[in-house]
Amino acid sequence: MYSISTAQRRARIGVRHRLSGAHRSADPAEITRSMVVLHATDPATVHLSVAARGHDLGPGQVERALYEDRSLVRMLAMRRTMFVAPVDLVPVLHASCGADLAAEQRRTYARYLEQAGIGEGDAPGWLAEIADRTHRALLARGSATGAQLSKDVPELRTQIDTAPGKSYSRPTNITSWVLVLLGTEGRIVRARPNGTWSSSQYSWTPVESWLPGPLVDIEAEAARTEIVRSWLHTFGPAPIGDIKWWTGWTLGQVRKALAGIDTVEVDLDGTAGLLLARDLEPVADPPPWAALLPALDPTPMGWQSRSWYLGEHQPRLFDRNGNIGPSIWCDGRIVGGWAQRKDGEIVTRVLEDIGAEATSLVAAEAERAGSWFGAVRPIPRFRTPLERELTA
C-alpha cells in the first residue's frame, strides 16, 4: 500500500488550503473554491477565512463577491450547516444535500404544526400553501426581510411551542421555518445582512433575480460524486470516516459517490485512507508559514480525525459541541489560539515551543490580522476556553 506521511499531509494544507504566503490569492471566489466551501454558521468566519488566505483582502472584497459580483452564495448544505459556496457549485450542493434537507425540514415543521393543532388536519398542505404565498410575496417585493414578509403573509407570525412543558421551551413564530424551507428548496437565497458583515440577520431574494439562471437539475448521486472528488483534492488523503463526517451522508451514500471516482487506498501512519489516483505525486514543502484562522474555519473543521494536526490542544481550542475557536497554525499543525479584544487588539497564545522563526511568523500574521476587522468587533458565536481567557 502506498504510504503518505503526516509531513506530506501538512504540506498539502499549506498549498491546497492557500495558507502558505506563496499560495494566497486576491480572489475570494478562488479561495472559496480551493476549500470547496467556507463555513458560514458564524458570519464573520467567511470574511476572516478569506482574509487569512488572501493578498490584501478584507470584508469589503468578500461583500463584493457575495452581494455585487454574486460569485459566492450563502446556503444550507452538508450536515444542515450554513456555507458560502462558489456560484457554480450551488446546483451541485442543492442536488446532493438541499433536496434531502428540504424533505427533512418539511417533515419536522409539519410534525410541530400537527402537535399544535394547526393546519385543520393537513399540516403539510397548510405549510406548503404558506410557503407558496411567502414566495409570491417575495417575488412581488424583490427583496425583503422576514418581518416585512410577515406583513404580507400574516400566518408567518403563527407561534409554535416546540417543547411544551419544558423549562427551556420558548414559543417561536414560523417565519424562519418557512424561509429556511424555501431556501433548501432552492427558491430563495440570503442576500445582504441587515447590519455589518458580522450580522446573521439577512434580507431574502428570489433565486430567479439573484443567480445568473435557474438551478440546473443534477442527479443526486452524480452531485455527491462531484462533491467528494472536490473534497479529496482539498482534504485528501483521509479515511473514509472523515468523508462521511464532513458530508453528513450515510456510509452507503459515500461509497456510491466514491464508486464514480478513481481513488487509491493509502496508509496514513497505520490508518487506511483514500486519495485521488491522479494525486499520488508528493506536494513540495512550501516555505515556512503561519496563519491565524477564525472560529469554525474550514481547515480545522475539514476532518473528524484531527490528532495529526491538532495534537493535545483540543480542550483549549474547542467548545463542548466540537466547534473550534480561533486557531494559530504553523507549517500544517495547530500550535495555539488567538482572539480580538474589545479595543481591537489581536492577542495570541502559543501552546508549545515553536522556535524563533515561527514565533516571528506568528507575530507578523497577528499584525496582518489587525487590519481585517476595521471598526467591527465580532464575538465568535461559539466561545472556547482559550478565547475566553484571551479576552477576559
Side-chain angles (χ1 to χ4, degrees):
M1 187 186 298
Y2 196 89
S3 295
I4 302 289
S5 68
T6 297
Q8 172 59 197
R9 297 181 78 185
R10 291 174 177 172
R12 288 172 180 246
I13 288 179
V15 174
R16 300 280 172 85
H17 294 212
R18 297 188 179 277
L19 295 175
S20 164
H23 296 88
R24 291 173 183 162
S25 170
D27 182 356
E30 183 178 54
I31 289 170
T32 304
R33 189 170 288 103
S34 297
M35 300 306 301
V36 188
V37 289
L38 299 178
H39 274 263
T41 303
D42 188 333
T45 297
V46 176
H47 300 79
L48 302 179
S49 292
V50 169
R53 297 169 170 85
H55 292 301
D56 302 319
L57 289 177
Q61 289 84 357
V62 181
E63 288 184 301
R64 185 179 305 119
L66 280 165
Y67 311 124
E68 296 176 22
D69 301 338
R70 299 177 187 175
S71 57
L72 299 175
V73 178
R74 196 182 305 269
M75 64 184 297
L76 288 175
M78 289 72 64
R79 309 188 310 279
R80 199 186 177 277
T81 297
M82 186 68 67
F83 293 99
V84 161
V87 67
D88 55 283
L89 197 62
V90 170
V92 179
L93 291 170
H94 177 70
S96 63
C97 304
D100 287 346
L101 280 175
E104 178 184 344
Q105 296 306 119
R106 278 194 295 271
R107 289 191 297 269
T108 299
Y109 298 151
R111 184 173 67 253
Y112 287 137
L113 291 168
E114 287 171 353
Q115 291 172 354
I118 294 173
E120 299 180 353
D122 183 16
W126 186 88
L127 178 62
E129 179 188 349
I130 300 308
D132 287 341
R133 287 171 54 194
T134 302
H135 186 226
R136 290 196 296 271
L138 187 58
L139 285 168
R141 283 181 174 267
S143 179
T145 64
Q148 290 170 328
L149 289 168
S150 68
K151 294 179 181 178
D152 300 331
V153 185
E155 289 87 348
L156 291 174
R157 302 194 195 107
T158 302
Q159 294 274 313
I160 300 294
D161 187 347
T162 60
K166 303 294 185 181
S167 60
Y168 56 81
S169 179
R170 297 290 184 274
T172 182
N173 65 44
I174 67 168
T175 305
S176 61
W177 293 6
V178 173
L179 293 174
V180 165
L181 179 58
L182 288 170
T184 56
E185 289 176 343
R187 299 163 74 183
I188 66 176
V189 296
R190 289 166 177 81
R192 286 187 179 273
N194 306 318
T196 69
W197 51 266
S198 64
S199 171
S200 58
Q201 300 296 318
Y202 301 95
S203 58
W204 296 81
T205 301
V207 69
E208 298 93 332
S209 61
W210 193 261
L211 299 184
L215 294 182
V216 178
D217 189 18
I218 302 174
E219 197 274 329
E221 287 188 14
R224 293 189 190 107
T225 294
E226 185 170 343
I227 293 294
V228 171
R229 183 184 290 110
S230 297
W231 187 91
L232 280 171
H233 175 77
T234 298
F235 296 95
I240 191 172
D242 285 354
I243 305 173
K244 179 180 181 296
W245 174 82
W246 188 86
T247 58
W249 302 334
T250 66
L251 185 58
Q253 289 173 322
V254 172
R255 291 193 186 282
K256 284 184 179 179
L258 286 167
I261 306 171
D262 190 7
T263 62
V264 293
E265 191 172 275
V266 296
D267 174 65
L268 305 174
D269 291 334
T271 299
L274 293 174
L275 184 64
L276 295 174
R278 56 178 170 77
D279 197 22
L280 286 171
E281 286 297 315
V283 170
D285 289 336
W289 60 270
L292 270 61
L293 299 184
L296 291 178
D297 184 85
T299 293
M301 295 299 292
W303 301 269
Q304 184 180 38
S305 47
R306 300 169 175 143
S307 60
W308 60 278
Y309 64 85
L310 179 59
E312 304 298 320
H313 303 316
Q314 179 159 341
R316 304 289 298 280
L317 296 175
F318 282 76
D319 71 7
R320 294 178 180 178
N321 296 316
N323 302 301
I324 193 169
S327 56
I328 299 175
W329 289 68
C330 282
D331 299 327
R333 62 192 181 92
I334 293 178
V335 298
W338 65 281
Q340 182 200 39
R341 290 180 172 160
K342 291 181 180 179
D343 62 1
E345 179 188 4
I346 303 298
V347 288
T348 62
R349 182 172 298 171
V350 174
L351 301 175
E352 59 186 79
D353 184 5
I354 60 175
E357 182 182 11
T359 299
S360 178
L361 290 172
V362 169
E365 285 301 298
E367 182 176 357
R368 192 169 78 94
S371 66
W372 299 344
F373 294 89
V376 179
R377 302 288 178 265
I379 298 174
R381 182 167 296 186
F382 306 101
R383 308 295 301 278
T384 57
L386 183 56
E387 190 270 335
R388 289 181 182 275
E389 289 178 28
L390 293 174
T391 55

